[in-house]
Amino acid sequence: QVQLVESGGGLVQPGGSLRLSCAASGSIFSINAMGWYRQAPGKERELVASITDGGNTVYADSVRGRFTISRDNAKNTVYLQMNSLKPEDTAVYYCNADVVTVTRVWDDSWGQGTQVTVSS
């Protein structure tokens, strides 16, 4: 079983910054891609950014240049540095990890979500 625990959400003013963290634990053999998704009220969940175990990254057009995804493979942790935040970035942010367990089973794992609110 794999658990993802997110932290770092909160309330921030427009133009401010936040850093999200997500640590994976449990029966992990390896982790391929890790990523962040978000879901705003009344909208579908969307990809924000993802990063492979080799460090290749993908960003949504709406956050490119403002957000930076990174990971620490030794700690099974992924980060999302969010700068120049806008009210439209308000959403619940979810961590996702493409995990191979110690029993060599693929596990598409999700965190519980952390609220990010951008408002003055």
Side-chain angles (χ1 to χ4, degrees):
Q1 190 173 2
V2 177
Q3 299 84 36
L4 300 182
V5 178
E6 300 134 334
S7 61
L11 172 65
V12 64
Q13 292 187 344
S17 298
L18 283 175
R19 189 190 193 211
L20 305 183
S21 300
C22 172
S25 63
S27 303
I28 298 171
F29 173 74
S30 65
I31 303 178
N32 299 319
M34 301 185 80
W36 290 94
Y37 290 72
R38 67 185 181 188
Q39 187 166 19
K43 295 188 177 181
E44 293 187 354
R45 189 174 297 188
E46 63 176 358
L47 174 68
V48 176
S50 67
I51 184 168
T52 68
D53 54 352
N56 294 317
T57 57
V58 172
Y59 292 95
D61 289 343
S62 58
V63 307
R64 188 176 293 112
R66 299 187 297 122
F67 292 8
T68 301
I69 190 170
S70 60
R71 65 189 280 177
D72 184 332
N73 291 331
K75 296 181 179 180
N76 289 333
T77 299
V78 63
Y79 307 95
L80 186 67
Q81 178 66 44
M82 304 185 294
N83 298 329
S84 303
L85 282 160
K86 304 175 180 180
E88 50 263 44
D89 294 318
T90 296
V92 177
Y93 283 70
Y94 296 91
C95 175
N96 173 260
D98 183 13
V99 177
V100 177
T101 69
V102 295
T103 57
R104 304 303 190 268
V105 173
W106 174 69
D107 188 335
D108 184 29
S109 299
W110 290 89
Q112 80 284 358
T114 185
Q115 177 71 46
V116 172
T117 302
V118 184
S119 175
S120 55

